[in-house]
Amino acid sequence: MIKPGIPFIPMEPVSHPEAFDDESYGFQVKWDGTRILAHIGGGVELFNRKMNKRTKQYPEVVGALSRFFSGKSAVLDGEMIALLGGKPDFQNLMRRDMAVDEATVKYLTLKIPVTYVVFDILYLNGKCLVDLPFSERYSMLRTCLSSSDPVVVTDTFPGMGVALFEAVKEKGLEGIVAKKLDSLYEIGKKSKKWLKIKNRRTIHCLIGGFLVDGRKLKSVIVGRMMEGELIYLGRVFIGLDEEKRKLLYDVLSRLERKDCPFAKLPPLEKREKPVWVVPCITAEVEFLDYTSEGYLRQPVFRRIENIL
C-alpha cells in the first residue's frame, strides 16, 4: 500500500540484451539521471531509490509539483535529469543531487537546471494505483499532469522498441525500457515485466594517472574537466593491445607529476601507488552507464586521440 509521505523502494527493470517489437509492451526512453519518487499531499517530498530525501536539492521541481497538484494528493515515479547540449549530463546532475548547503543549492539551481521526467503514477487523490495495469496508470498520468518545464511526462511507444532504440542510439542516450502494458507495480522488486535495453555510449576523457605492474601498464585513471577541475570517472584497462599499451606507458611516463591532478583523490586500495600525470592526453572511452557514484560502468578504450 502506497501513501504520500511514506517512502518505499521502487520497482526496477531487469536487463535485456537487445531491442524488440511487441504490441504487448510500451517502450520508453531510459533517461540518464537519478530515480526520484515525488510524494504530494499537504506539501511535496522527494525521495531517491534508497528512500533518502532529496526535497531541498530540487526546489524548482517541488514548486512546480505544488502548483500542478494544488489541493490534490499523488505519488509519482520518474527520473531527475540535468540537460547539457540537449542530452542528460550525469556529472552535473550529481552536483545538484549532493548539494546540502542552502546557498549552494540556490546557486546550482540557477547554474544547472533540472527536469523531472515522470513515467508512472502510483497514487492519486486517496487511491493507491499499484494494482492497476501500467497502461491504465500511464493514461491517468497523462490526464492529470501536462508537461511544463521543469516537470514533463515521458512518451510511451506501444510495440515500437526497435525504432525507439535506434533513435536513442543516434542521439547517444542511455537506452530504453520495455514495460508490459498489463504489468502491475511491484514495490521493491526487480521484475521481468519491465526490461531495460542499454546503449553503449562514448565519452572523451582526460588521463590523469595510471597504475603499473612492474613496467607494464595495468590500468589508466581517467576523468572529465568541469569548471576547471578534473573530476574522476574511473579506471580503464580493456581495449588496448600490447603495442598500444607500451606506447601509452612510454608517453605517460614522460608526463609524470608529483601531485594528484583530480579535484578529489580517486578511491585507491592501500597497496596501490598511482603515477599521476599532466592531464593532456585524451581517450575516447566506450561505457555502458554510470554507477550511483558517477563512475563509468564497464569502460573500454576505443582510441587514444592525441598520443603522438
Side-chain angles (χ1 to χ4, degrees):
M1 182 67 176
I2 286 177
K3 289 184 178 181
I6 302 175
F8 59 90
I9 297 173
M11 181 176 176
E12 298 277 3
V14 300
S15 295
H16 190 74
E18 59 185 5
F20 59 94
D21 289 334
D22 190 325
E23 292 298 327
S24 67
Y25 283 85
F27 296 88
Q28 299 176 330
V29 172
K30 190 177 192 305
W31 297 100
D32 194 2
T34 188
R35 190 79 168 269
I36 292 291
L37 288 302
H39 293 243
I40 305 150
V44 176
E45 293 282 6
L46 305 180
F47 298 91
N48 65 16
R49 71 176 73 232
K50 295 181 180 180
M51 301 191 293
N52 297 319
K53 279 190 179 183
R54 285 296 182 268
T55 308
K56 67 180 180 181
Q57 280 80 4
Y58 306 109
E60 69 270 52
V61 172
V62 170
L65 290 173
S66 297
R67 293 190 296 272
F68 288 149
F69 289 93
S70 178
K72 301 176 182 177
S73 58
V75 175
L76 308 175
D77 193 355
E79 195 88 356
M80 196 72 72
I81 64 172
L83 294 174
L84 180 66
K87 295 198 300 185
D89 187 286
F90 191 77
Q91 275 75 39
N92 266 321
L93 179 70
M94 286 299 97
R95 293 180 65 196
R96 288 288 307 265
D97 199 70
M98 293 186 289
V100 176
D101 178 72
E102 185 176 343
T104 302
V105 170
K106 186 175 181 179
Y107 168 76
L108 292 176
T109 298
L110 296 173
K111 188 169 184 62
I112 306 173
V114 296
T115 301
Y116 183 40
V117 184
V118 184
F119 49 70
D120 211 335
I121 185 166
L122 311 176
Y123 182 97
L124 182 63
N125 295 334
K127 184 178 180 181
C128 180
L129 309 177
V130 296
D131 291 330
L132 294 179
F134 167 70
S135 57
E136 289 189 33
R137 299 197 309 273
Y138 184 74
S139 179
M140 294 176 71
L141 175 63
R142 279 290 192 191
T143 300
C144 73
L145 179 61
S146 57
S147 293
S148 180
D149 200 48
V151 179
V152 301
V153 178
T154 198
D155 291 319
T156 297
F157 302 89
M160 299 173 57
V162 174
L164 181 61
F165 189 71
E166 289 303 314
V168 160
K169 283 176 62 178
E170 185 176 337
K171 292 182 179 296
L173 301 178
E174 184 183 4
I176 64 173
V177 178
K179 298 180 178 180
K180 273 277 192 181
L181 293 173
D182 63 359
S183 62
L184 310 185
Y185 194 94
E186 301 176 63
I187 300 170
K189 293 183 180 180
K190 287 190 174 183
S191 173
K192 292 182 179 179
K193 292 183 179 180
W194 286 12
L195 305 172
K196 58 183 177 183
I197 302 102
K198 291 194 173 183
N199 169 42
R200 290 191 66 88
R201 293 164 286 164
T202 60
I203 187 171
H204 294 85
C205 304
L206 287 170
I207 297 174
F210 63 96
L211 293 162
V212 295
D213 183 6
R215 288 184 59 83
K216 291 185 66 176
L217 192 67
K218 184 178 178 182
S219 64
V220 172
I221 305 170
V222 299
R224 174 188 174 194
M225 197 66 73
M226 295 181 67
E227 295 189 354
E229 293 186 328
L230 188 61
I231 306 301
Y232 172 73
L233 290 180
R235 306 180 187 190
V236 192
F237 57 90
I238 298 173
L240 294 178
D241 58 29
E242 285 301 317
E243 182 180 348
K244 290 179 181 176
R245 227 175 249 273
K246 185 178 183 304
L247 176 60
L248 184 57
Y249 173 80
D250 291 341
V251 171
L252 291 177
S253 296
R254 296 196 294 270
L255 298 171
E256 184 175 350
R257 57 186 277 177
K258 291 183 178 180
D259 59 319
C260 174
F262 293 92
K264 293 182 180 179
L265 186 69
L268 298 166
E269 300 292 335
K270 287 185 178 180
R271 295 183 180 180
E272 289 181 329
K273 295 182 178 180
V275 180
W276 303 120
V277 301
V278 178
C280 60
I281 300 296
T282 304
E284 183 180 26
V285 177
E286 182 183 277
F287 67 105
L288 182 62
D289 61 4
Y290 293 98
T291 68
S292 58
E293 296 87 2
Y295 307 152
L296 303 178
R297 195 188 303 276
Q298 298 181 19
V300 177
F301 278 117
R302 290 193 66 176
R303 63 174 178 268
I304 307 300
E305 298 187 328
N306 52 348
I307 192 169
L308 295 177

